[in-house]
């Protein structure tokens, strides 16, 4: 067994070790990446041949966290890992988006990259190591790959940039980004920020890239040590250059002319381009000049013609498929309070992209419970994004939540979550249903989410808007066009998909995929500045619909009042076996949730009406109140005994009203005056210092009888 290791020094006493040759040796490539106690096993296996008529890269990336990595049992009845969590799906997407562009364009064999978290320190963030592990596994295999990549997390803590911070350090960061790059080029960026500037974001990207260069060089050296610098030979495409040239000659001018019609309707544009292809097929499938039609090849070559023609139009004419200028935003309209049953709702429509978003408010009982390997807890704010097939006019069934929906929802969640007040007592669920899609629906979700939250009366710190930017460029960006508010077509045929969200004060989240090499930072800077202007334009449109959160919640929304009680009174409010709290909830209709926070009891009282909250509040205040000598109380006679009556002066607190303290006259029996259940006023005249028992008087509140004259 020949084990090979390479070490990457992080410069702060920490190091990353890449080991190969010990585990999973039947895979095409396998490595173990270690940082402290955290270990990732990454493998790659690629089929020797491609399936027939496959003209894309069938790459599958899986990231799986083992509960045993932290010495934990999985939750649930089965006690084994099940379907991937949202967090695992998000890590898969981070790795997939960075790797996919670097496989050869003509490589079509099924390829599976598997990353397993096999050991972990609870304070480590293994997602920052997953991209490095996946790329290193490919580097020590014979699977064709243009060059290594790596990913790092960049955080800014107390003004200082840090590579791959710990979970504890990240809690105080105002910038948290995952950056993927090759030795020379940025490939992918995703993260969240606390309203930072465009210049600060670029600084973070550059800082992360410097660390990535070192990690890529180590992978090059590792490949040399393992003898895997020569990759496997393959032939996954059969090409016909004569047919390719014929399609260019016969269709390019027609496609360019169709593009220059600048039709704003997506389906009509698609039909026009499709008609040109069908016309070509019809012309060359009959007669003496008939070709042996290979529709798969024709489809691929014609797609390239479409792409090249549209890109030429944008670069030369500085106009886009739907007739807009490069920095022009599509028409926007929005509406709030569309759903009368929701606690908040909004429609946001930009061009042919539309989101219907609702907000639901709940109590602590509605908070999302999270039981992942590295995090167990609750989330007060959640955002769910749904992308039904009818939004694009496709006839296909729904097969559950896709990875794309998880990823797009997470981007919108990160954009908005920093604007939710930290002292909000509500559990908040935002649901975005995409009803139309042509261009960034995740950014429409951010805008609709902002509107719906303000409609619900949530006092967000600042409204958030988002925009998707695109890029069309020549090699080396000698000529380029930065496109604001991109169409779906422009995303597909362009060189960059750059989503930016933010407030009037700065950026809150971003997601960027770059598809070309050698993109200068100056182009990124222009894209960011153009995005800022676009965001501010959209913000102005939103404020025309609602400029600030509503003053109050909707009438049917739950009301929550929080009060603090002494820690030692928590048990008194709950009662034996929960008897007291259950009785309060049943009698008032309010819902009570009690927690111990910072050595104090915090009681959340929620109901749909003020009367129920006030009633519950009075009961709790009565329980935690300390009886004071001299105070007058209105109490209920709980029981009558020979020597007096026990009166409940506060919830759960009874005092003795001695028979001699009922009236000024002498009584033979208590029931001459009192009955059980009767409400009377009494005065607290003494609290026994030793026992704490309460002594009450009724006669102290009655006028003294006048003395009889002799």
């Amino acid at each position: 067994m020949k084990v090979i290791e390479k070490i990457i020094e992080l410069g702060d006493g920490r190091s990353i070790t890449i080991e190969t040759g010990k585990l999973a040796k039947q895979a095409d490539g396998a490595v173990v990446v270690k940082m402290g106690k955290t270990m990732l096993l990454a493998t790659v296996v690629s089929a020797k041949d491609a399936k027939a008529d496959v003209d894309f890269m069938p790459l599958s990336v899986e990231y799986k966290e083992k509960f045993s990595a932290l010495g934990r049992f999985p939750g649930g009845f089965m006690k084994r890992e099940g379907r991937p969590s949202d967090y695992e799906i998000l890590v898969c997407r981070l790795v997939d988006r960075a790797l996919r562009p670097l496989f050869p364009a003509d490589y079509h064999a099924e390829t599976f990259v598997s990353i397993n978290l096999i050991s972990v320190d609870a304070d480590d963030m293994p997602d920052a190591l997953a991209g490095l592990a996946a790329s290193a596994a490919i580097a020590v295999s014979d699977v064709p790959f243009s060059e290594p990549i790596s990913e790092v997390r960049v955080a800014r803590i107390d003004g200082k940039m840090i590579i791959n911070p710990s979970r504890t350090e990240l809690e105080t960061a105002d910038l948290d980004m995952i950056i993927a790059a090759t030795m020379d080029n940025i490939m992918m960026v995703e993260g969240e920020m606390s309203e930072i500037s465009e210049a600060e974001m670029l600084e973070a990207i550059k800082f992360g890239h410097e660390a990535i260069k070192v990690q890529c060089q180590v992978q090059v050296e590792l490949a040399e040590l393992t003898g895997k610098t020569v990759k496997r030979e393959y032939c996954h495409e059969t090409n016909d250059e004569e047919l390719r040239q014929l399609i260019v000659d016969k269709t390019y001018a027609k496609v360019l002319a169709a593009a220059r019609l600048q039709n704003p309707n997506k389906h009509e544009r698609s039909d026009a381009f499709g008609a040109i292809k069908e016309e070509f097929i019809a012309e060359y499938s009959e007669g003496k000049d008939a070709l042996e039609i290979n529709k798969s090849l024709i489809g691929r070559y014609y797609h390239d013609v479409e792409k090249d023609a549209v890109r030429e139009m944008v670069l030369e004419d500085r106009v886009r498929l739907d007739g807009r200028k490069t920095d022009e935003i599509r028409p926007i309209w929005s509406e709030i309070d569309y759903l009368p049953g929701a606690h908040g709702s909004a429609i946001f429509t930009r061009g042919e992209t539309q989101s219907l978003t609702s907000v639901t408010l709940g109590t602590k009982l509605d908070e999302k419970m999270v039981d992942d390997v590295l995090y167990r807890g609750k989330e007060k704010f959640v955002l769910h994004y749904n992308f039904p097939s009818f939004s694009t006019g496709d006839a296909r069934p729904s097969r559950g939540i896709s990875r794309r929906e998880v990823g797009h929802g997470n981007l919108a969640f990160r954009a908005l979550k920093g604007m939710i007040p930290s002292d909000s007592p509500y559990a908040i669920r935002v649901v975005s249903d995409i009803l139309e899609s042509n261009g960034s629906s995740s950014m429409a979700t951010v805008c609709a989410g902002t509107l719906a939250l303000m409609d619900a009366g949530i006092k967000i710190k600042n409204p958030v808007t988002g925009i998707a930017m695109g890029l069309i460029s020549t090699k080396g960006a000698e000529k380029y066009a930065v496109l604001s508010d991109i169409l779906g077509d422009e995303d597909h045929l362009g060189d960059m998909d750059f989503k930016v969200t933010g407030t009037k004060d700065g950026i809150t989240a971003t997601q960027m995929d770059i598809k070309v090499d050698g993109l200068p930072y100056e182009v990124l800077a222009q894209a960011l500045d153009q995005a800022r202007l676009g965001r501010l334009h959209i913000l102005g449109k939103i404020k025309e619909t609602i400029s600030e959160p509503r003053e109050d919640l909707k009438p049917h929304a739950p009301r929550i009042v929080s009060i603090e009680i002494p820690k030692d009174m928590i048990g008194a409010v709950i009662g034996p076996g929960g008897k007291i709290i259950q009785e309060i909830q049943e009698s008032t209709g309010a819902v009570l949730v009690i927690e111990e926070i910072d050595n104090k009891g915090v009681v959340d009282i929620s109901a749909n009406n003020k009367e129920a909250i006030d009633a519950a509040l009075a009961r709790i205040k009565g329980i935690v109140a300390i009886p004071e000598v001299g105070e007058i109380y209105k109490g209920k006679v709980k029981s009558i005994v020979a020597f007096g009556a026990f009166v409940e002066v506060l919830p759960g607190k009874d005092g003795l009203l001695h028979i001699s303290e009922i009236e000024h006259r002498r009584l033979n029996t208590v029931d001459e005056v009192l009955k059980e259940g009767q409400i009377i006023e009494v005065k607290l005249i003494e609290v026994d210092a030793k026992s704490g028992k309460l002594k009450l008087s009724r006669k102290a509140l009655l006028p003294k009888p006048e003395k009889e004259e002799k």
Side-chain angles (χ1 to χ4, degrees):
M1 179 174 65
K2 183 182 178 183
V3 179
I4 298 173
E5 282 190 354
K6 292 292 291 184
I7 297 176
I8 301 167
E9 298 292 344
L10 293 179
D12 57 2
R14 296 177 300 156
S15 63
I16 300 172
T17 301
I18 307 176
E19 173 191 276
T20 187
K22 181 181 286 187
L23 302 184
K25 290 186 287 184
Q26 292 192 43
D28 289 332
V31 299
V32 173
V33 170
K34 294 184 284 188
M35 186 176 76
K37 293 181 180 179
T38 298
M39 300 171 67
L40 293 170
L41 169 64
T43 63
V44 60
V45 178
S46 188
K48 301 301 181 186
D49 298 302
K51 293 182 179 179
D53 295 327
V54 174
D55 61 354
F56 62 94
M57 175 60 199
L59 173 66
S60 295
V61 176
E62 297 293 340
Y63 172 79
K64 194 70 180 175
E65 295 188 337
K66 306 293 186 182
F67 277 79
S68 58
L70 195 59
R72 287 187 55 207
F73 272 81
F77 181 76
M78 297 299 293
K79 297 302 177 190
R80 73 176 296 166
E81 289 82 4
R83 65 174 295 276
S85 66
D86 284 0
Y87 174 74
E88 289 169 317
I89 289 171
L90 293 170
V91 177
C92 291
R93 283 174 53 83
L94 286 173
V95 176
D96 186 303
R97 286 160 46 208
L99 292 181
R100 190 176 292 274
L102 294 171
F103 287 94
D106 59 353
Y107 189 74
H108 305 317
E110 285 192 301
T111 302
F112 295 86
V113 174
S114 177
I115 310 156
N116 287 280
L117 179 67
I118 56 177
S119 176
V120 70
D121 184 316
D123 205 31
D124 283 342
M125 302 287 288
D127 55 354
L129 301 174
L132 168 62
S135 178
I138 298 172
V140 300
S141 76
D142 65 347
V143 177
F145 198 60
S146 61
E147 58 181 315
I149 64 103
S150 191
E151 293 179 349
V152 298
R153 169 174 268 107
V154 175
R156 188 173 66 182
I157 301 163
D158 296 329
K160 181 182 178 183
M161 298 286 186
I162 297 177
I163 296 293
N164 294 353
S166 67
R167 188 178 300 275
T168 302
E169 290 173 322
L170 201 58
E171 291 176 358
T172 57
D174 65 353
L175 179 154
D176 173 17
M177 293 168 52
I178 294 280
I179 299 165
T182 65
M183 193 90 73
D184 301 316
N185 300 298
I186 300 294
M187 303 298 298
M188 187 273 301
V189 176
E190 182 157 332
E192 61 187 81
M193 307 88 184
S194 299
E195 298 178 281
I196 68 168
S197 70
E198 287 73 16
E200 289 171 307
M201 181 174 159
L202 276 178
E203 179 190 355
I205 293 173
K206 293 176 181 178
F207 181 78
H209 196 191
E210 291 305 310
I212 287 172
K213 291 176 182 179
V214 175
Q215 297 182 9
C216 289
Q217 181 57 39
V218 166
Q219 292 179 67
V220 171
E221 295 168 6
L222 191 65
E224 292 172 352
L225 289 172
T226 56
K228 295 295 184 179
T229 54
V230 178
K231 302 299 183 178
R232 71 176 64 165
E233 294 184 1
Y234 64 93
C235 182
H236 296 163
E237 285 187 1
T238 301
N239 285 298
D240 184 337
E241 293 304 324
E242 185 178 337
L243 176 62
R244 187 200 303 270
Q245 190 59 49
L246 181 64
I247 291 173
V248 172
D249 293 343
K250 295 295 183 180
T251 65
Y252 190 90
K254 295 179 181 178
V255 171
L256 186 58
R260 283 176 168 154
L261 291 174
Q262 300 167 21
N263 190 331
N265 186 286
K266 176 176 76 170
H267 292 293
E268 290 178 5
R269 284 199 310 270
S270 179
D271 291 344
F273 289 139
I276 296 171
K277 182 174 77 171
E278 293 305 316
E279 181 184 329
F280 173 85
I281 292 173
E283 181 179 353
Y284 288 94
S285 60
E286 297 176 1
K288 64 179 181 179
D289 296 325
L291 298 172
E292 184 179 336
I293 296 297
N294 183 327
K295 289 192 176 182
S296 176
L297 281 182
I298 290 175
R300 193 198 317 159
Y301 297 155
Y302 183 72
H303 172 270
D304 292 341
V305 168
E306 272 191 52
K307 181 176 179 178
D308 292 342
V310 173
R311 289 168 66 90
E312 179 188 336
M313 179 189 73
V314 174
L315 289 173
E316 298 301 325
D317 301 350
R318 313 303 288 184
V319 70
R320 299 157 68 176
L321 275 170
D322 58 356
R324 284 183 292 151
K325 299 175 183 177
T326 56
D327 61 351
E328 188 176 348
I329 313 297
R330 287 172 290 177
I332 291 170
W333 68 266
S334 58
E335 179 180 336
I336 57 170
D337 202 19
Y338 183 73
L339 304 174
H343 298 151
S345 63
I347 305 170
F348 178 84
T349 306
R350 184 195 60 240
E352 295 176 302
T353 298
Q354 184 177 76
S355 169
L356 172 61
T357 293
S358 65
V359 168
T360 306
L361 306 180
T363 68
K364 281 186 168 63
L365 299 176
D366 299 304
E367 291 178 3
K368 178 184 175 183
M369 296 182 66
V370 181
D371 187 22
D372 291 341
V373 173
L374 293 171
Y375 176 72
R376 300 175 75 178
K378 294 182 178 180
E379 290 183 357
K380 288 177 63 174
F381 176 59
V382 296
L383 187 149
H384 295 141
Y385 164 100
N386 300 312
F387 191 83
S389 58
F390 65 75
S391 66
T392 52
D394 292 330
R396 55 179 172 80
S398 173
R399 299 298 188 200
I401 304 302
S402 68
R403 289 186 174 189
R404 179 184 180 279
E405 287 170 297
V406 173
H408 281 42
N410 182 66
L411 176 59
F413 164 78
R414 299 179 88 176
L416 292 170
K417 75 172 186 177
M419 296 299 109
I420 304 296
S422 58
D423 59 353
S424 172
Y426 294 97
I428 302 172
R429 182 182 184 229
V430 177
V431 178
S432 171
D433 290 301
I434 302 305
L435 307 185
E436 289 185 63
S437 181
N438 180 21
S440 181
S441 53
S442 62
M443 297 298 94
T445 295
V446 172
C447 299
T450 291
L451 288 164
L453 286 166
M454 291 198 290
D455 179 51
I458 298 298
K459 302 298 188 286
I460 59 173
K461 300 172 187 175
N462 272 320
V464 184
T465 58
I467 190 170
M469 308 297 294
L471 174 73
I472 292 176
S473 64
T474 57
K475 190 170 184 179
E478 295 174 0
K479 184 183 290 188
Y480 66 88
V482 176
L483 309 179
S484 297
D485 178 23
I486 57 174
L487 302 168
D489 293 340
E490 292 169 335
D491 180 9
H492 184 60
L493 59 84
D495 300 324
M496 179 178 72
D497 177 14
F498 194 176
K499 300 180 179 76
V500 190
T501 73
T503 69
K504 61 181 177 59
D505 297 325
I507 299 170
T508 61
T510 189
Q511 184 182 93
M512 177 174 66
D513 293 293
I514 297 176
K515 309 166 192 176
V516 292
D517 295 340
L519 188 64
Y521 278 104
E522 291 76 14
V523 177
L524 281 181
Q526 179 181 328
L528 278 167
D529 187 60
Q530 197 165 310
R532 181 181 60 82
L533 296 175
R535 285 192 290 106
L536 294 176
H537 168 79
I538 298 169
L539 181 60
K541 293 293 183 181
I542 278 182
K543 287 190 171 183
E544 291 175 8
T545 302
I546 181 170
S547 59
E548 58 186 24
R550 290 185 185 273
E551 284 298 317
D552 196 10
L553 308 179
K554 299 291 178 67
H556 59 288
R559 309 283 163 148
I560 298 179
V561 172
S562 294
I563 62 167
E564 290 185 356
I565 63 174
K567 176 184 174 181
D568 57 6
M569 296 301 296
I570 292 176
V573 175
I574 295 173
K579 181 180 178 181
I580 301 297
I581 193 171
Q582 289 173 15
E583 191 276 325
I584 295 173
Q585 292 183 131
E586 288 173 6
S587 62
T588 65
V591 175
L592 275 62
V593 179
I594 303 178
E595 289 184 306
E596 183 184 331
I597 301 174
D598 297 332
N599 214 32
K600 295 178 182 177
V602 177
V603 186
D604 281 348
I605 309 166
S606 63
N608 287 339
N609 61 83
K610 185 176 184 297
E611 291 75 16
I613 290 177
D614 288 345
L617 198 57
R619 292 289 304 276
I620 294 169
K621 286 181 176 179
I623 293 172
V624 302
I626 299 174
E628 295 183 26
V629 174
E631 284 293 313
I632 298 171
Y633 297 94
K634 186 175 284 187
K636 179 190 285 188
V637 178
K638 300 290 287 186
S639 62
I640 293 176
V641 292
F643 53 84
F646 287 97
V647 181
E648 186 181 50
V649 294
L650 290 170
K653 292 184 175 68
D654 296 347
L656 173 62
L657 177 62
H658 193 269
I659 191 169
S660 64
E661 292 291 338
I662 296 176
E663 288 195 348
H664 290 286
R665 67 186 175 92
R666 180 182 177 87
L667 299 178
N668 293 317
T669 60
V670 175
D671 54 16
E672 289 179 39
V673 177
L674 302 180
K675 295 180 180 179
E676 287 190 9
Q678 184 177 347
I679 304 298
I680 60 173
E681 282 194 341
V682 292
K683 184 176 183 179
L684 179 59
I685 57 175
E686 184 183 342
V687 178
D688 189 280
K690 291 183 178 180
S691 67
K693 291 180 179 179
L694 311 180
K695 294 182 180 180
L696 309 173
S697 175
R698 177 173 175 268
K699 75 178 185 182
L701 303 177
L702 300 175
K704 289 184 180 181
E706 295 182 6
K707 292 182 179 180
E708 293 183 5
E709 294 184 5
K710 293 183 178 178

